[in-house]
């Protein structure tokens, strides 16, 4: 999920050092703050809460939430309970909704990313969702949304709300609730108010559980939750389990060559490897690269866990081969972490030594 933003204040990430090994963060109370992706991949922040007589939301937000037209928010909470299984279910539901909101009666609507978060930061309560804007304010769109949510199997069930304006240019959120056997009904309204941009991007506290996994067990727990519907996940885990948890580089040098796609990395790595008579390794390693297409089609948390575990396999190969000769590596931890951070909402690279970043 791409979230660009204006350069933030220095980010304080030391709080991540206390993340429990192998655990995914549990969702808590529903969030009240929202980050809406605007044109140009910038973010606008707003909140839903107590009335503020003179408050007006950001003009960009007002243009996307208020009339003319009608806007709807859909957010995917994590199911009750704890563990990575709930996170994986929520991520797969989010992906399924994205595909459905791009087809059928919704094709005439505008679709934007919407991030819901709790005031004060922290990963608990973070919800990924969408803002669907119908420029024509057709009642068919509301009916199609309610039917779509009715068809969602089991938990978690996405939350739905719509936005409306009034003659005083105020914006309101009107949440919907489904009562079993009684259909859908609206639950009053709450005022949309401005909120300051947080110093810490709302998605950053969640990265150690959803993308930049700080240790092997954190990534392993994600794929373990996928084995019932992705057979290849078990094969990857079996290969990872064959690797020692603690490895030590040998006496020969290890050179990692990073770069964007189609920039000549393969040519350079092969040339350097030939010149130094070195062993050439790639990430993801050949033993799992045949499954890239399978995992590339999955939600971000699953895809990132796959590539992260691939790096652990490469680390084991580096430790073995560097005892005998120099080693050249075509991509490694650096690109895995950097790509995740860049696409999950940070325009500023982490400071050196941030404890939650993986170490090769």
């Amino acid at each position: 999920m791409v979230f660009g933003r204006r350069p933030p204040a220095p980010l304080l990430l030391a709080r991540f050092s206390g993340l429990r090994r192998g655990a995914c963060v549990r969702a808590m109370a529903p969030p009240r703050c929202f980050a809406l992706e605007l044109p140009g991949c910038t973010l606008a922040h707003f909140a839903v809460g107590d009335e503020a007589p003179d408050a007006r939301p950001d003009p960009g937000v007002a243009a996307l939430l208020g009339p003319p037209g009608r806007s709807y928010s859909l957010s995917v909470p994590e199911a009750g309970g704890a563990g990575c299984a709930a996170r994986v279910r929520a991520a797969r539901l989010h992906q399924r909704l994205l595909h459905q909101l791009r087809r059928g009666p919704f094709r005439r609507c505008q679709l934007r990313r919407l991030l819901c978060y709790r005031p004060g930061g922290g990963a608990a309560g973070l919800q990924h969702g969408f803002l669907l804007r119908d420029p024509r304010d057709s009642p068919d769109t509301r009916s199609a949304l309610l039917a779509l949510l009715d068809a969602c199997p089991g938990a978690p069930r996405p939350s739905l709300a719509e936005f409306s304006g009034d003659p005083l240019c105020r914006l309101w959120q009107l949440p919907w609730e489904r009562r079993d056997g009684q259909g859908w009904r609206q639950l009053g309204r709450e005022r949309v108010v401005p909120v300051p941009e947080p110093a810490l991007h709302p998605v950053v506290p969640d990265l150690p559980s959803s993308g930049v996994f700080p240790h092997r067990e954190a990534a392993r727990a994600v794929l373990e939750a996928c084995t019932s519907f992705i057979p290849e996940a078990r094969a990857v885990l079996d290969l990872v389990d064959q690797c020692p948890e603690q490895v030590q580089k040998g006496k020969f040098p290890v050179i990692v060559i990073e770069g964007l796609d189609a920039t000549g990395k393969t040519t350079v790595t092969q040339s350097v490897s030939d010149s130094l008579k070195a062993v050439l390794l790639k990430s993801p390693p050949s033993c799992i690269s045949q499954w890239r297409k399978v995992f590339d089609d999955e939600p971000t948390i699953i895809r990132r866990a796959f590539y992260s575990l691939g790096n652990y396999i490469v680390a084991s190969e580096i430790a073995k081969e560097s005892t005998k000769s120099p080693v050249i590596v075509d991509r490694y931890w650096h690109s895995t972490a950097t790509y995740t951070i860049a696409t999950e909402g940070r325009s500023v690279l982490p400071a050196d030594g941030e404890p939650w970043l993986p170490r090769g």
Side-chain angles (χ1 to χ4, degrees), residues 86-284:
R87 295 178 61 86
V88 167
R89 285 195 298 269
R92 298 188 79 210
L93 175 57
H94 180 274
Q95 185 183 66
R96 187 161 59 248
L97 285 175
L98 175 61
H99 293 160
Q100 293 170 327
L101 291 171
R102 286 175 169 169
R103 62 177 67 151
F106 307 113
R107 296 184 66 178
R108 62 177 179 267
C109 300
Q110 303 164 0
L111 187 64
R112 298 190 180 278
R113 307 282 186 169
L114 186 67
L115 184 70
C116 309
Y117 61 96
R118 290 173 59 82
L126 190 70
Q127 297 181 11
H128 294 273
F130 308 98
L131 182 81
L132 185 77
R133 181 164 182 79
D134 179 7
R136 301 189 306 173
D137 191 11
S138 169
D140 294 339
T141 300
R142 181 187 294 114
S143 298
L145 278 173
L146 297 178
L148 173 62
L149 298 187
D150 278 335
C152 288
R157 186 183 296 277
S159 60
L160 173 68
E162 64 181 81
F163 297 90
S164 67
D166 65 18
L168 299 178
C169 298
R170 297 175 298 184
L171 289 175
W172 303 88
Q173 184 190 61
L174 296 81
W176 285 84
E177 180 185 60
R178 186 180 188 277
R179 294 289 185 90
D180 291 339
Q182 302 179 31
W184 290 87
R185 67 170 187 170
Q186 285 190 332
L187 300 176
R189 66 178 189 175
E190 292 186 292
R191 180 80 179 276
V192 176
V193 296
V195 66
E197 179 181 10
L200 185 70
H201 191 291
V203 82
V204 174
D206 195 48
L207 287 180
S209 294
S210 64
V212 188
F213 301 100
H215 42 74
R216 187 164 85 174
E217 286 307 306
R220 194 188 186 289
V222 173
L223 284 204
E224 189 68 52
C226 300
T227 54
S228 63
F229 56 89
I230 307 178
E232 293 83 359
R234 174 53 60 193
V236 174
L237 292 173
D238 290 343
L239 291 169
V240 171
D241 291 343
Q242 296 173 23
C243 301
E245 291 193 17
Q246 300 294 328
V247 295
Q248 182 66 43
K249 185 183 79 68
K251 64 180 180 179
F252 289 92
V254 176
I255 301 173
V256 176
I257 297 178
E258 297 281 10
L260 300 175
D261 291 339
T263 55
K265 289 188 310 303
T266 300
T267 301
V268 172
T269 53
Q270 188 63 61
S271 177
V272 174
S273 176
D274 293 342
S275 298
L276 298 179
K277 295 182 173 55
V279 172
L280 177 59
L281 301 176
K282 295 184 178 182
S283 182

Side-chain angles (χ1 to χ4, degrees), residues 1 3 11 13 16 19 23-25 87 122-124 126 128 200-215 218-219 222 300-301 304-305 308 336-350 354 356-358:
M1 179 172 177
F3 272 126
L11 303 180
L13 300 177
F16 298 143
L19 185 69
C24 287
V25 181
R87 295 178 61 86
L126 190 70
H128 294 273
L200 185 70
H201 191 291
V203 82
V204 174
D206 195 48
L207 287 180
S209 294
S210 64
V212 188
F213 301 100
H215 42 74
V222 173
T300 297
I301 185 174
R304 298 291 174 231
S308 178
T336 305
T338 300
Y339 186 79
T340 302
I341 293 168
T343 56
E344 290 298 315
R346 289 186 62 181
S347 59
V348 179
L349 290 176
E354 287 187 357
W356 58 276
L357 285 178

